[in-house]
Amino acid sequence: MSVPTLQSYIAGRWVGARAAKPLASAINGRVVAHTHEESLDFAEAMAYARGTALPGLLRSHFQDRARVLKALAAYLMERKEQLYAISAHTGATRADSWIDIEGGIGTLFAYASIGGKDLPSSNVLHEGPAMRLGADNHFVGSHVLVPKRGVALHINAFNFPMWGMLEKFAPSFLAGMPCLVKPATATSYVAEACVRLIVESGLVPAGALQLIVGGTGDLFERLDEADVVTFTGSADTALQLRAHPNLLKKSIPFNAEADSLNCAILAPDVTPDDPEFELFIKEVAREMTAKAGQKCTAIRRTLVPAPLVDAVATALKARLAKTVVGDPAIEGVRMGALASKAQQADVAERVAQLAKHCELLLSASDGFAPKGEGVGDGAFFAPTLLLARDAASSDAHHVEAFGPVTTLLPYGDFDEALHLATLGRGSLVGTICTKTPALAAQAVPTFAAWHGRMLVLDREAALESTGHGSPLPKLKHGGPGRAGGGEELGGLRAVKHYLQRCAVQGSPTMISAVTGEYQRGGAVTESEVHPFRRYFEDVEVGMSLLTHRRTVGEADIVAFGGLSGDYFYMHFDDVAAKASPFGQRIAHGYFVLSAAAGLFVSPAPGPVLANYGLENLRFVTPVALGDTIQARLTAKRKIDRPPRDDQPAQGVIGWDVAVTNQRGELCASYEILTLVAKRIAG
């Protein structure tokens, strides 16, 4: 069987025919692919991204691109078995590949959902609320986020060639940036296979995704001010790239997610008889063996109370001894190989350095024998457990063995444990395993200053916990200091990384036009037809209804109190109310809310399908008995909804509601959300 030559995908075509560097299977050392020899024209690649891809992306909007991500995720999921077969060459078990393949596809689904729910049908994201800059509300200011008009260069690590690519691609594509993806060479055959499927799908616009197999040549010199660079890998490489003169000269954003010396702390309240003890052992062992420890989030430092060192060591060794290592194709194998022989040599070198001042409690000398044919030429490495008696001065705080390796670090009191956790000088994630809420509350402020994410693990969380080492699309992934100082994922936060923030000032009418959201005080269009009688497509932002009036009387207060059961003294006790700051009885705030709905709701069946929610409610001026209230209902913003088989075609409209009294004073202010049917299905 011939060995394929990988190709780059540049300027809408596949490049590469002559074989160059061989890439070996991590299982048996056999060559599974070659990189290509041909040099790439990065001037052409950047011109194609700027001239073809960027205009194409900007002809769509956030919601359009969210729909593409959803369709792409479904397309890849249907073809996942092709990717599993290729991923096996990396040494990954099926469970390991699941993280990479289906974890990556799941990230596409997650960002499609974020885009569909949180982003408008435009390329302007309003980051409000607007702020008054003048006393009479003629001059206001706010912030908008818009696509950067640049290119995103994504440089990925070898350990998750598919997830690492898709978790960067999803938010940058959603933000309207074309992407150049540079996977780590050792496992680039997985990334190339995924990109081929993406191209074959025909879902992604031309030039929105380009693939670089091999080096980056003069690409960094061709980056401009509107571009963005993201990097995942070693802290040393991140430092070199971050310091590139062109990046510094043009202030090009550089987001780094670097390997770090993550830790887990067994709190002093946990004993070997507690469920938390077993949970802790399981978590550490899992992080050592998943992906053979090749995770930037893996637990490298295991902090335990000094009296429990022997118990933890014994339990860990027993659990790791049950882990079957070898060719993942063999039934029962639970841990595969490192990604390459180079990684195997690097981990061995780091373990030797750590062992100079540590005790080796478990290593290859303890009968390590991977299962499978040809595994002697593979990149297997034994689960390795070290113990540093002098925890504070241990090399474990600055030397990382990027494999199935952790170091036990004993501590005295809890304050010492928290101090040891900070010695990694910045980590992606930390775990504290405790059964005492007060200890968690004590730990988090210290932890949070040095860690990008924290897991507080107890018997309750364990019922659903995704684990120490699992970044989630809706939460930040990244960390300070050694961890790179950057942030990936994080839901809408990640999308904003690829958008440009700009402050905008002007009249409420102008800011309404710019943001696509009605600003209180701006010009409105008085609707001849009640806005609730209009279909989604027919409602325009700024369309408004000024209601009739209603005078609030004693009977209203008594009836509402009886219905709601709210007999608060301010509404019923005349003597106490007069002694209050208000000096008189006032109506229930929720009565005012209900009465306003009675003023502006159109009761007959129509395009408005349901009340979807209420936001930003404020009761500003109390409504006294005898006051007359009136409401103004104005279409504030529109959120399109993709069609669903089980629902009529619909969208969400946010309505600004201002309730005033007879003196023109604002009594209540809020936004209601309604589901509104579309006039045209689909």
Side-chain angles (χ1 to χ4, degrees):
M1 184 176 179
S2 62
V3 176
T5 297
L6 303 180
Q7 294 181 304
S8 297
Y9 187 66
I10 298 295
R13 68 182 187 279
W14 291 97
V15 177
R18 300 189 301 273
K21 180 180 179 179
L23 304 179
S25 165
I27 303 299
N28 51 34
R30 296 170 188 161
V31 176
V32 297
H34 290 90
T35 61
H36 63 77
E37 185 181 279
E38 292 86 348
S39 298
L40 298 177
D41 186 341
F42 289 113
E44 181 188 24
M46 294 300 288
Y48 193 72
R50 299 187 201 284
T52 299
L54 187 57
L57 284 170
L58 296 182
R59 282 192 290 271
S60 64
H61 52 64
F62 294 121
Q63 294 256 331
D64 290 332
R65 296 189 289 272
R67 287 191 277 270
V68 170
L69 288 179
K70 183 177 181 180
L72 180 61
Y75 184 89
L76 293 175
M77 189 66 81
E78 291 174 356
R79 292 155 180 80
K80 65 183 181 181
E81 293 305 325
Q82 300 177 38
L83 298 164
Y84 274 109
I86 295 166
S87 178
H89 295 306
T90 69
T93 64
R94 176 84 182 193
D96 294 337
S97 292
W98 182 90
I99 301 170
D100 191 32
I101 296 168
E102 297 190 50
I105 295 171
T107 299
L108 294 182
F109 275 124
Y111 276 99
S113 176
I114 290 165
K117 292 179 180 177
D118 299 328
L119 294 173
S121 304
S122 72
N123 280 319
V124 177
L125 174 60
H126 181 214
E127 193 176 49
M131 299 159 282
R132 284 192 178 194
L133 302 177
D136 295 322
N137 199 39
H138 298 304
F139 188 52
V140 299
S142 197
H143 293 89
V144 295
L145 292 150
V146 299
K148 282 181 174 287
R149 268 62 173 179
V151 179
L153 171 59
H154 299 315
I155 302 172
N156 297 320
F158 67 85
N159 51 342
F160 290 104
M162 185 164 159
W163 175 83
M165 174 174 67
L166 296 181
E167 60 100 9
K168 294 183 178 71
F169 169 73
S172 51
F173 177 79
L174 196 53
M177 290 194 84
C179 304
L180 270 71
V181 173
K182 163 65 178 82
T185 301
T187 54
S188 55
Y189 47 86
V190 178
E192 194 235 32
C194 181
V195 172
R196 283 193 181 276
L197 288 176
I198 292 173
V199 173
E200 289 169 8
S201 76
L203 294 166
V204 174
L209 178 63
Q210 300 184 69
L211 174 70
I212 303 166
V213 173
T216 54
D218 62 352
L219 179 55
F220 271 66
E221 284 78 14
R222 299 186 179 280
L223 298 175
D224 287 334
E225 291 83 354
D227 299 330
V228 172
V229 179
T230 66
F231 169 81
T232 300
S234 74
D236 291 340
T237 304
L239 179 62
Q240 294 174 15
L241 296 178
R242 192 195 303 272
H244 191 283
N246 192 43
L247 268 61
L248 298 175
K249 177 182 177 182
K250 296 179 179 177
S251 300
I252 295 171
F254 183 89
N255 189 86
E257 187 269 281
D259 307 330
S260 61
L261 293 159
N262 313 292
C263 69
I265 298 178
L266 181 65
D269 62 321
V270 177
T271 72
D273 296 326
D274 291 320
E276 283 76 12
F277 185 87
E278 179 61 25
L279 290 171
F280 182 80
I281 298 301
K282 180 180 179 180
E283 199 70 31
V284 174
R286 178 169 62 180
E287 290 302 312
M288 290 179 68
T289 56
K291 286 288 289 186
Q294 296 174 115
K295 294 170 65 180
C296 56
T297 52
I299 297 170
R300 307 300 180 194
R301 299 176 296 149
T302 303
L303 281 60
V304 299
L308 292 182
V309 166
D310 291 340
V312 170
T314 299
L316 266 177
K317 288 169 65 177
R319 191 171 189 93
L320 292 169
K322 298 176 183 178
T323 302
V324 180
V325 182
D327 184 343
I330 297 175
E331 183 70 27
V333 166
R334 292 294 178 265
M335 186 179 114
L338 301 178
S340 66
K341 297 291 283 185
Q343 282 301 120
Q344 184 188 52
D346 182 74
V347 174
E349 180 183 340
R350 302 300 177 94
V351 168
Q353 186 175 350
L354 289 168
K356 289 178 181 179
H357 304 289
C358 291
E359 300 173 33
L360 268 175
L361 302 182
L362 182 68
S363 67
S365 62
D366 295 286
F368 180 61
K371 295 184 177 295
E373 292 185 16
V375 293
D377 294 321
F380 293 91
F381 201 92
T384 303
L385 181 63
L386 301 105
L387 169 61
R389 297 285 182 184
D390 185 359
S393 62
S394 173
D395 285 344
H397 299 300
H398 57 86
V399 174
E400 181 181 24
F402 200 73
V405 182
T406 196
T407 302
L408 291 179
L409 299 166
Y411 66 84
D413 59 24
F414 196 48
D415 285 337
E416 182 185 0
L418 298 180
H419 171 67
L420 292 173
T422 70
L423 297 184
R425 310 307 297 173
S427 298
L428 295 170
V429 57
T431 287
I432 174 159
C433 188
T434 179
K435 59 183 182 181
T436 306
L439 287 179
Q442 178 185 348
V444 168
T446 300
F447 251 116
W450 290 98
H451 293 74
R453 177 169 57 87
M454 279 206 60
L455 169 64
V456 181
L457 183 62
D458 67 355
R459 67 194 74 181
E460 181 182 354
L463 297 174
E464 296 181 330
S465 172
T466 52
H468 166 100
S470 298
L472 298 172
K474 295 182 180 180
L475 293 177
K476 166 189 170 181
H477 177 49
R482 179 190 169 107
E487 296 187 10
E488 292 183 359
L489 299 178
L492 196 56
R493 292 179 183 88
V495 180
K496 290 181 178 181
H497 179 71
Y498 300 99
L499 299 171
Q500 182 61 45
R501 181 178 286 103
C502 179
V504 184
Q505 300 162 279
S507 69
T509 299
M510 292 301 177
I511 299 303
S512 296
V514 169
T515 62
E517 293 187 5
Y518 168 72
Q519 305 302 321
R520 187 80 57 79
V524 299
T525 303
E526 299 290 352
S527 180
E528 295 180 2
V529 177
H530 193 294
F532 280 15
R533 311 306 304 165
R534 295 180 181 271
Y535 288 95
F536 180 81
E537 300 94 326
D538 301 329
V539 175
E540 297 178 359
V541 170
M543 198 168 275
S544 186
L545 171 72
L546 183 64
T547 70
H548 59 282
R549 300 181 180 88
R550 172 174 178 169
T551 299
V552 179
E554 172 82 19
D556 296 320
I557 306 302
V558 173
F560 190 83
L563 287 171
S564 65
D566 180 353
Y567 293 102
F568 188 58
Y569 79 90
M570 190 60 67
H571 313 309
F572 287 93
D573 188 332
D574 189 64
V575 174
K578 285 180 179 178
S580 74
F582 299 112
Q584 59 183 324
R585 288 169 62 196
I586 60 174
H588 304 73
Y590 291 108
F591 167 77
V592 175
L593 197 67
S594 300
L599 293 174
F600 63 68
V601 165
S602 177
V608 173
L609 303 173
N611 185 335
Y612 187 62
L614 183 150
E615 298 180 346
N616 303 317
L617 172 63
R618 294 291 183 272
F619 297 119
V620 183
T621 301
V623 175
L625 275 67
D627 279 352
T628 299
I629 61 173
Q630 186 176 35
R632 178 170 284 281
L633 176 78
T634 308
K636 181 176 181 178
R637 57 194 172 101
K638 297 175 64 177
I639 306 169
D640 200 0
R641 282 285 187 87
R644 290 178 54 175
D645 294 338
D646 59 341
Q647 292 182 352
Q650 60 189 242
V652 176
I653 297 180
W655 304 88
D656 177 80
V657 181
V659 183
T660 55
N661 61 21
Q662 69 275 16
R663 294 178 295 277
E665 297 167 329
L666 184 65
C667 299
S669 174
Y670 52 98
E671 178 183 346
I672 60 168
L673 304 174
T674 57
L675 291 175
V676 182
K678 292 182 178 179
R679 182 165 34 83
I680 302 174

